[in-house]
Amino acid sequence: MITFEGITKSFGGVPVLRDVSFAVPPGRTVGIVGENGAGKSTLMNILGGNLQPDRGSMRWEGEVYAPRNPRDAARRGVAFVHQELNLFPNLSIAENLFLTTFPKLGRLPLIDRATLHRRTAEWLEQVGLTHPPDILVDRLSAGERQLVEIAKALSLDAKLIILDEPTTSLSAREAERLFALMGRLRERGIAMIYISHTLPDVLRLCDEIVVLRDGEVVGSGPRADFNIERMIALMVGRSLNQLYPERRAAPVEKAGEVILEVRGVTQPGIVRNVSMNLRCGEVLGIFGLMGAGRSELARILFGLDPCEKGDIRVAGQSVFGAPPRRRIQRGLAFLTENRREEGLCLEATIAENITLVSLRQYQSNRVGLLNMGRLREAVNAIRGAVRLTPTAGNEAPVKILSGGNQQKVVLAKWLLAKSGVLILDEPTRGIDVGAKFEIYQLIHELADNGAGVLMISSELEELTGICDRLLVMRRGEIVAELRREAFDGERILAAALGETVETGAP
């Protein structure tokens, strides 16, 4: 189907891809794995016609393939399903599918609505969606939107579909639905490139695997040649003997005074009678299935969403009913699950993002002028603290960074603000295994330095790997509390599913 031959690309003299060669046969799924910054996105941009290689070539079904733009790639049958879906939520499914190819009534400049709905229904049937074509995309779940993207690709007669981190925002059930569809597409002879940091899924779904590191292919071959340990070793250039760092001290025993106190927090239909304590030096995890109310609780604690009753205290002072600005001043920080839309100003520089909530601390006089020297020193110091990549300067736009480094910028922003309580919602979503380890280290360092960390994650293994204590939520309520010595995957899942579980807390 498609063959890459010696693809090489540099930006500003810095090599991003070096002599990349491999093939994707028809009806096969090839997995591409690598750390953030390994060159995966650049390679796919070359395949999709967004970039041109400096050297090397591509062949499509034996013929030279050199798309000058995305339209050329689409004409050949290349389609992308991106991590950040390219759908307009205010338009219907049908309007999204045929945005540039609306069927018309003869020669009249009018849309043939009957044909539009009929053809949309046909494509939706192929991906297993039963929604009416005129329903707004805004009303669909993340998994259903993913299927609409694939239906859109099929409507363009795609022969090669690139899926970039397709399960990042999906529930387990939605992911299984996507995997079943991928199997049907493969049976139809459609080739797929599957890019993911979820290595077990790569092993399960892909026929062949390609590992990139620093822009080079460091390993490739059939799935049988790989296991998770080998993929990780190839990706990071070393063997990771442990996925989670060890704490330097006994956290539960040394945990200090209560820094965050939540009592009876209730918002009808969202959360009910939620109470908890978070102590200085503690990493407290919250686990629950989709719809349990974890992210909603985090937004309530930070003041983004309303709360009918209860009390929230930070360092002993109530912030109930206070706006986020006041909660930030009291030392509360919030790393949202959607860093690109809610945690970062993508067009702003790295330095501007890091200093976003701390500018008042660096005013040199009452007029409000900033002491740029002090600010620059602080930014450089905090960059070192979070181990931000040195290849991008302070004035570089944050949008050019990898997912892991973008997450470090968000953490740096709150570290500079000297936050005492950090609420982290899915802090490692969409980042590679090496960057995850560094984020885990940072979380432990924050706790070791006296901060209280409240961490929400859909990955149970992640929570049991780094947390000191764990709360389980179900239908907006806390249904179990366990200390580290009582962590047990089956018991935690049982609590999340509504089965009886004994508490592991005193």
Short mmCIF file of all heavy atoms in Angstrom, two decimals, residues 63 91 141 148 153 187 190 224 230 243 251 253 281 288 297 315 331 342 393 412 414 420 424 443 459 465 469:
data_model
loop_
_atom_site.label_atom_id
_atom_site.label_comp_id
_atom_site.label_asym_id
_atom_site.label_seq_id
_atom_site.Cartn_x
_atom_site.Cartn_y
_atom_site.Cartn_z
N GLU A 63 3.78 3.05 -7.09
CA GLU A 63 4.04 4.30 -7.82
C GLU A 63 4.57 5.38 -6.87
O GLU A 63 4.28 5.37 -5.68
CB GLU A 63 2.76 4.80 -8.49
CG GLU A 63 2.17 3.83 -9.52
CD GLU A 63 0.91 4.38 -10.14
OE1 GLU A 63 0.47 5.49 -9.74
OE2 GLU A 63 0.33 3.71 -11.01
N LEU A 91 -22.54 21.40 14.19
CA LEU A 91 -23.13 20.89 12.94
C LEU A 91 -23.60 19.46 13.15
O LEU A 91 -23.18 18.77 14.07
CB LEU A 91 -22.12 20.94 11.80
CG LEU A 91 -21.58 22.33 11.40
CD1 LEU A 91 -20.60 22.19 10.24
CD2 LEU A 91 -22.71 23.28 11.04
N SER A 141 -21.19 11.13 22.36
CA SER A 141 -20.09 10.84 23.28
C SER A 141 -18.78 10.87 22.51
O SER A 141 -18.75 10.89 21.28
CB SER A 141 -20.28 9.47 23.93
OG SER A 141 -20.10 8.44 22.96
N VAL A 148 -17.77 8.66 14.01
CA VAL A 148 -18.15 9.59 12.95
C VAL A 148 -16.91 9.96 12.11
O VAL A 148 -16.98 10.06 10.88
CB VAL A 148 -18.80 10.86 13.53
CG1 VAL A 148 -18.99 11.92 12.46
CG2 VAL A 148 -20.16 10.51 14.14
N ALA A 153 -13.96 9.18 6.99
CA ALA A 153 -12.84 8.63 6.21
C ALA A 153 -13.35 7.64 5.16
O ALA A 153 -12.92 7.66 4.00
CB ALA A 153 -11.84 7.95 7.14
N GLU A 187 -10.58 -6.60 7.45
CA GLU A 187 -11.13 -7.66 6.59
C GLU A 187 -11.52 -7.15 5.21
O GLU A 187 -11.51 -7.90 4.23
CB GLU A 187 -12.34 -8.29 7.28
CG GLU A 187 -12.00 -9.10 8.52
CD GLU A 187 -13.23 -9.57 9.26
OE1 GLU A 187 -14.36 -9.24 8.80
OE2 GLU A 187 -13.09 -10.27 10.29
N ILE A 190 -8.61 -2.62 4.08
CA ILE A 190 -8.15 -1.26 4.39
C ILE A 190 -6.92 -1.34 5.30
O ILE A 190 -6.94 -2.04 6.32
CB ILE A 190 -9.26 -0.44 5.06
CG1 ILE A 190 -10.41 -0.22 4.05
CG2 ILE A 190 -8.74 0.91 5.57
CD1 ILE A 190 -11.61 0.48 4.64
N ALA A 224 4.86 -10.75 16.79
CA ALA A 224 5.40 -11.84 17.60
C ALA A 224 6.81 -11.55 18.09
O ALA A 224 7.27 -12.17 19.06
CB ALA A 224 5.39 -13.14 16.78
N ARG A 230 10.25 -5.10 25.65
CA ARG A 230 11.16 -4.79 24.53
C ARG A 230 10.78 -3.45 23.89
O ARG A 230 11.65 -2.66 23.53
CB ARG A 230 11.12 -5.90 23.48
CG ARG A 230 12.10 -5.63 22.34
CD ARG A 230 12.17 -6.72 21.30
NE ARG A 230 13.15 -6.34 20.28
CZ ARG A 230 12.94 -6.40 18.97
NH1 ARG A 230 11.78 -6.83 18.51
NH2 ARG A 230 13.88 -6.03 18.12
N LEU A 243 8.08 0.88 36.51
CA LEU A 243 7.24 1.88 35.85
C LEU A 243 6.94 3.05 36.77
O LEU A 243 6.61 4.13 36.30
CB LEU A 243 5.94 1.24 35.38
CG LEU A 243 6.06 0.20 34.26
CD1 LEU A 243 4.69 -0.38 33.95
CD2 LEU A 243 6.66 0.82 33.01
N PRO A 251 5.46 8.09 53.32
CA PRO A 251 4.56 9.23 53.19
C PRO A 251 3.41 9.28 54.18
O PRO A 251 3.10 10.33 54.71
CB PRO A 251 4.05 9.10 51.75
CG PRO A 251 4.21 7.66 51.42
CD PRO A 251 5.41 7.19 52.17
N GLU A 253 3.07 7.95 57.18
CA GLU A 253 3.48 8.22 58.56
C GLU A 253 3.92 9.68 58.74
O GLU A 253 3.74 10.27 59.79
CB GLU A 253 4.63 7.27 58.94
CG GLU A 253 4.19 5.83 59.19
CD GLU A 253 3.83 5.08 57.91
OE1 GLU A 253 4.10 5.61 56.83
OE2 GLU A 253 3.26 3.99 58.02
N GLY A 281 2.04 16.58 52.11
CA GLY A 281 2.95 15.47 51.87
C GLY A 281 2.30 14.19 51.43
O GLY A 281 2.94 13.13 51.38
N GLY A 288 -12.56 5.68 39.66
CA GLY A 288 -13.96 5.42 39.39
C GLY A 288 -14.14 5.16 37.91
O GLY A 288 -13.27 5.51 37.10
N LEU A 297 -16.14 16.47 40.29
CA LEU A 297 -15.76 16.85 41.64
C LEU A 297 -14.56 17.78 41.61
O LEU A 297 -14.51 18.79 42.35
CB LEU A 297 -15.44 15.60 42.47
CG LEU A 297 -14.89 15.85 43.87
CD1 LEU A 297 -15.91 16.60 44.73
CD2 LEU A 297 -14.49 14.53 44.54
N ALA A 315 -6.17 25.00 53.72
CA ALA A 315 -5.34 25.47 54.83
C ALA A 315 -6.20 26.09 55.94
O ALA A 315 -5.85 27.11 56.53
CB ALA A 315 -4.29 26.45 54.34
N GLY A 331 -3.94 28.94 47.37
CA GLY A 331 -2.97 27.87 47.15
C GLY A 331 -3.51 26.65 46.44
O GLY A 331 -2.88 25.59 46.44
N GLU A 342 -7.94 23.69 28.01
CA GLU A 342 -8.22 24.35 29.28
C GLU A 342 -6.98 24.67 30.11
O GLU A 342 -7.05 25.47 31.04
CB GLU A 342 -9.15 23.46 30.12
CG GLU A 342 -10.51 23.23 29.48
CD GLU A 342 -11.39 22.30 30.29
OE1 GLU A 342 -10.85 21.42 30.99
OE2 GLU A 342 -12.61 22.45 30.21
N GLY A 393 13.30 27.18 23.58
CA GLY A 393 13.56 28.31 24.44
C GLY A 393 12.30 28.89 25.06
O GLY A 393 11.17 28.52 24.68
N ALA A 412 4.67 23.42 35.80
CA ALA A 412 5.57 24.53 36.12
C ALA A 412 4.79 25.78 36.48
O ALA A 412 5.18 26.54 37.39
CB ALA A 412 6.51 24.80 34.95
N TRP A 414 1.93 26.01 37.99
CA TRP A 414 1.41 25.93 39.36
C TRP A 414 2.53 25.88 40.38
O TRP A 414 2.38 26.35 41.51
CB TRP A 414 0.49 24.72 39.50
CG TRP A 414 -0.75 24.85 38.67
CD1 TRP A 414 -1.14 24.05 37.64
CD2 TRP A 414 -1.77 25.86 38.80
NE1 TRP A 414 -2.33 24.49 37.12
CE2 TRP A 414 -2.74 25.60 37.80
CE3 TRP A 414 -1.94 26.94 39.65
CZ2 TRP A 414 -3.87 26.38 37.63
CZ3 TRP A 414 -3.07 27.74 39.48
CH2 TRP A 414 -4.02 27.45 38.50
N GLY A 420 -0.13 24.95 47.25
CA GLY A 420 0.00 23.95 48.29
C GLY A 420 -0.86 22.73 48.06
O GLY A 420 -0.61 21.66 48.62
N LEU A 424 -4.82 17.04 40.14
CA LEU A 424 -4.33 16.58 38.85
C LEU A 424 -5.33 15.61 38.23
O LEU A 424 -5.54 14.51 38.75
CB LEU A 424 -2.96 15.89 39.01
CG LEU A 424 -1.90 16.63 39.84
CD1 LEU A 424 -0.62 15.82 39.91
CD2 LEU A 424 -1.64 18.01 39.25
N ILE A 443 5.43 14.39 40.76
CA ILE A 443 4.33 14.29 41.73
C ILE A 443 4.87 13.91 43.11
O ILE A 443 4.49 14.50 44.13
CB ILE A 443 3.27 13.28 41.25
CG1 ILE A 443 2.54 13.83 40.01
CG2 ILE A 443 2.27 12.96 42.36
CD1 ILE A 443 1.63 12.83 39.33
N GLU A 459 -6.54 4.99 35.01
CA GLU A 459 -5.64 3.84 35.04
C GLU A 459 -5.42 3.40 36.49
O GLU A 459 -4.70 4.05 37.23
CB GLU A 459 -4.32 4.18 34.36
CG GLU A 459 -4.45 4.53 32.89
CD GLU A 459 -3.11 4.73 32.21
OE1 GLU A 459 -2.14 4.09 32.65
OE2 GLU A 459 -3.04 5.53 31.28
N GLY A 465 0.21 2.56 41.83
CA GLY A 465 1.66 2.64 41.74
C GLY A 465 2.25 3.85 42.44
O GLY A 465 3.39 3.79 42.92
N ARG A 469 -2.89 6.85 49.37
CA ARG A 469 -4.24 6.48 49.78
C ARG A 469 -5.14 6.62 48.58
O ARG A 469 -4.86 7.40 47.66
CB ARG A 469 -4.69 7.41 50.93
CG ARG A 469 -5.91 7.01 51.69
CD ARG A 469 -5.96 7.71 53.06
NE ARG A 469 -5.75 9.15 52.97
CZ ARG A 469 -6.72 10.04 52.89
NH1 ARG A 469 -8.00 9.65 52.87
NH2 ARG A 469 -6.44 11.33 52.83
#
